[in-house]
Amino acid sequence: MTARPLMLALSLLLSPVLAPSQASAAAPALAAVPQVDEAEAQRLAERVREETRHAWQGYMRHAQGHDDLMPLSGGAHDWYAQPLLMSPVDALDTLMLMGLDEEAAQARELIVTRLSFDQDIDVQNFEVTIRLLGGLLSAYQLSGDERLLALAEDLGRRLLPVFDSPTGLPYTHVNLRTGKTSGAVSNPAETGTLLLEFGTLARLTGKPVYYDKAKRALVETFKRRSPIGLVGAQIDVQTGRWVDRTSHIAGGIDSYYEYLYKCWKLFGDEDCLRMWKQSIGPVNRYLADEVRDHELWYGYADMDSGRRTETTYGALDAFMPALLALSGDVPRARRLQESGLKMWRLHGIEPETVDYSRMTVGSPGYALRPEIVESAYYLHHYTGDARYRGMGKVFFEDLVRACRTDIGYAALKSVVTGEKRDAMQSFLFAETFKYYYLLFAPARRLDFDAVVFNTEAHPLRRTWK
């Protein structure tokens, strides 16, 4: 038996037991997707590479030294009073993986000559951690450039005060120069999506404080789950009390679950594996939902009773098939990805949210998000099924058709009308283009099993002893 079929067989054996309705349900007929053979996959990988170059060149011509390109007006957007080079840092490991050497050199030069964290600005700890800390650490591991690690350590040190709350749950914001914190109302994603980055920094610098602080935040979030095992949407980090007791897998909670499993995978931390095992069962029991022809979705529920409160699913929820596949539940991942494909095809590109019980759009915007192609990539890796490359071709061609501009890629105000928005966030480089490329490119471009992707798709490796 070859390695991939053996891996798939083992994943099926190790998959969590499905609820009776899910285990016995007849699978709905699969929607048609294009056939993608190896030659076509290579052609698509090259197209992704060229579109990445197109967007990067637009950034360099019109927004160099700033955070993001404004792809309609040709302007530049910064998150704060001083730019933190979000796009170059987020793009660097992608450019290296694609072999865009000239562009990677440009990004690295911008970072090492212009990026300074000695700024009197209040930044959002979560976004800065996943984009900048994660991006610097990954680029350091790929390049060996010690200047990138030095920047990462400087940033990590400036972020540490966020953990100095009475509960150990981090405040949402910190001033990079003064260390003053703010933002007491947070959410599980922001309190629990830090250990991959801070833990890697700890291992690479030999300073365990980074690991210990971030792990405590993850554990303290887990400890406050409800008696039925769910977490809520908002929490007060000073008191540890839930401010919003709605549970879901969407933005604000999503990557908390992702990091429970991935922190075990990267660090071998048994506490993380235990917390994951105690969390995924309630998620599948109370948040998973079946409608119509046995379609599988994940909705909203009350964290105490498990009562369904919304039938909402969206672009951010679409990370879940990847996480399910990674953790061994390939059958459930397959079913949920089919629902994501249906959501995408409702208007030719996915909206931010849909009401899956009626298949109507809730929030119509499209922010160039990567999660649905991330899941296609994971499922293709674990199954070898060309169907997921076919999905990827659909997603990519729709992205180019709807969002490409003369100088980059634009988010959409509405997938219904197709109206563009003058915004191109850095995760287009870090995640969206990267996952498309890895889905179509030969596996040798990156050893999937040797890395763990942070939630911004920065690959981290156990390069420490």
Side-chain angles (χ1 to χ4, degrees):
M1 183 179 286
T2 63
R4 175 162 279 163
L6 176 60
M7 182 183 301
L8 175 57
L10 288 172
S11 75
L12 294 173
L13 289 171
L14 295 173
S15 295
V17 177
L18 299 176
S21 63
Q22 294 170 332
S24 60
L30 298 181
V33 297
Q35 296 292 315
V36 176
D37 59 17
E38 285 298 326
E40 174 69 355
Q42 291 181 26
R43 187 184 71 82
L44 286 165
E46 185 57 30
R47 282 188 63 197
V48 174
R49 190 170 178 269
E50 289 308 309
E51 291 306 313
T52 305
R53 176 186 278 125
H54 166 71
W56 176 257
Q57 289 175 344
Y59 168 82
M60 287 296 290
R61 284 196 304 270
H62 299 279
Q64 182 178 156
H66 293 277
D67 287 338
D68 296 318
L69 168 69
M70 298 174 70
L72 299 181
S73 64
H77 170 262
D78 291 319
W79 285 45
Y80 307 107
Q82 299 295 326
L84 293 175
L85 299 187
M86 295 287 186
S87 287
V89 175
D90 250 354
L92 181 51
D93 58 20
T94 297
L95 298 173
M96 286 192 283
L97 287 171
M98 290 184 180
L100 294 172
D101 297 337
E102 180 180 346
E103 291 78 7
Q106 292 171 344
R108 196 195 308 192
E109 181 66 15
L110 280 172
I111 293 165
V112 299
T113 60
R114 297 198 196 181
L115 182 56
S116 170
F117 297 118
D118 185 19
Q119 307 285 357
D120 186 14
I121 52 176
D122 294 345
V123 302
Q124 186 180 5
N125 177 60
F126 167 74
E127 293 289 356
V128 166
T129 295
I130 65 172
R131 299 187 194 219
L132 298 184
L133 185 57
L136 289 168
L137 291 168
S138 176
Y140 163 70
Q141 288 187 316
L142 286 170
S143 68
D145 189 333
E146 295 287 343
R147 297 172 296 178
L148 300 175
L149 180 59
L151 280 167
E153 184 171 10
D154 181 51
L155 176 58
R157 178 180 56 81
R158 294 174 186 274
L159 296 176
L160 272 182
V162 298
F163 297 105
D164 294 338
S165 74
T167 62
L169 296 167
Y171 292 99
T172 62
H173 289 71
V174 62
N175 186 287
L176 289 180
R177 180 169 292 167
T178 68
K180 182 180 179 181
T181 55
S182 59
V185 176
S186 190
N187 55 67
E190 296 202 41
T191 62
T193 310
L194 305 168
L195 185 51
L196 286 183
E197 299 84 2
F198 278 89
T200 297
L201 182 62
R203 295 293 191 261
L204 293 175
T205 63
K207 297 177 180 178
V209 62
Y210 297 115
Y211 193 99
D212 296 343
K213 295 277 191 180
K215 182 178 176 181
R216 183 188 174 194
L218 185 62
V219 171
E220 293 293 334
T221 306
F222 171 80
K223 283 168 56 177
R224 288 168 172 80
R225 70 199 188 282
S226 71
I228 65 172
L230 297 176
V231 296
Q234 289 188 316
I235 192 168
D236 188 316
V237 305
Q238 294 180 314
T239 66
R241 296 192 182 96
W242 293 104
V243 176
D244 183 340
R245 305 186 74 83
T246 305
S247 193
H248 51 73
I249 61 163
I253 298 180
D254 47 4
S255 50
Y256 160 71
Y257 289 117
E258 182 184 358
Y259 275 38
L260 288 177
Y261 192 82
K262 287 184 174 181
C263 289
W264 173 76
K265 192 171 187 293
L266 182 60
F267 302 115
D269 192 317
E270 295 289 341
D271 291 335
C272 295
L273 181 60
R274 173 183 56 82
M275 292 187 290
W276 163 257
K277 288 180 176 179
Q278 292 182 32
S279 298
I280 188 57
V283 167
N284 288 336
R285 185 174 304 116
Y286 298 109
L287 301 183
D289 197 6
E290 287 196 0
V291 298
R292 288 176 297 274
D293 186 20
H294 307 299
E295 292 174 11
L296 178 64
W297 301 85
Y298 281 68
Y300 288 50
D302 177 82
M303 69 178 284
D304 299 302
S305 67
R307 177 182 59 85
R308 179 78 54 218
T309 58
E310 290 183 41
T311 51
T312 298
Y313 186 90
L316 287 169
D317 307 64
F319 85 102
M320 192 63 175
L323 180 57
L324 291 168
L326 178 68
S327 61
D329 195 345
V330 172
R332 194 186 298 262
R334 280 182 177 272
R335 294 184 62 201
L336 187 58
Q337 183 70 359
E338 296 300 325
S339 298
L341 175 62
K342 182 173 183 177
M343 173 178 67
W344 184 281
R345 280 182 158 165
L346 187 62
H347 288 286
I349 201 162
E350 65 181 3
E352 188 72 0
T353 65
V354 296
D355 179 341
Y356 59 78
S357 67
R358 298 181 299 170
M359 284 313 294
T360 56
V361 171
S363 178
Y366 173 64
L368 307 173
R369 295 203 186 279
E371 285 78 11
I372 199 166
V373 68
E374 171 188 6
S375 289
Y377 170 54
Y378 276 63
L379 276 164
H380 182 262
H381 171 80
Y382 282 112
T383 68
D385 190 341
R387 176 171 180 78
Y388 299 109
R389 279 180 164 170
M391 284 189 193
K393 180 177 181 179
V394 171
F395 302 152
F396 178 66
E397 291 185 341
D398 286 344
L399 169 73
V400 175
R401 170 189 54 78
C403 302
R404 195 182 198 273
T405 73
D406 290 342
I407 61 172
Y409 274 74
L412 300 180
K413 290 183 179 180
S414 172
V415 300
V416 180
T417 67
E419 184 181 0
K420 292 182 173 67
R421 185 162 61 88
D422 200 10
M424 189 182 89
Q425 285 207 48
S426 63
F427 60 67
L428 175 71
F429 293 114
E431 302 181 78
T432 310
F433 282 142
K434 180 185 284 132
Y435 282 131
Y436 278 121
Y437 181 72
L438 293 175
L439 172 62
F440 299 129
R444 64 178 178 272
R445 294 303 305 172
L446 182 74
D447 183 351
F448 179 98
D449 297 306
V451 304
V452 174
F453 293 96
N454 86 332
T455 199
E456 191 78 1
H458 294 303
L460 301 171
R461 294 177 291 132
R462 295 185 66 166
T463 56
W464 50 85
K465 293 183 179 179

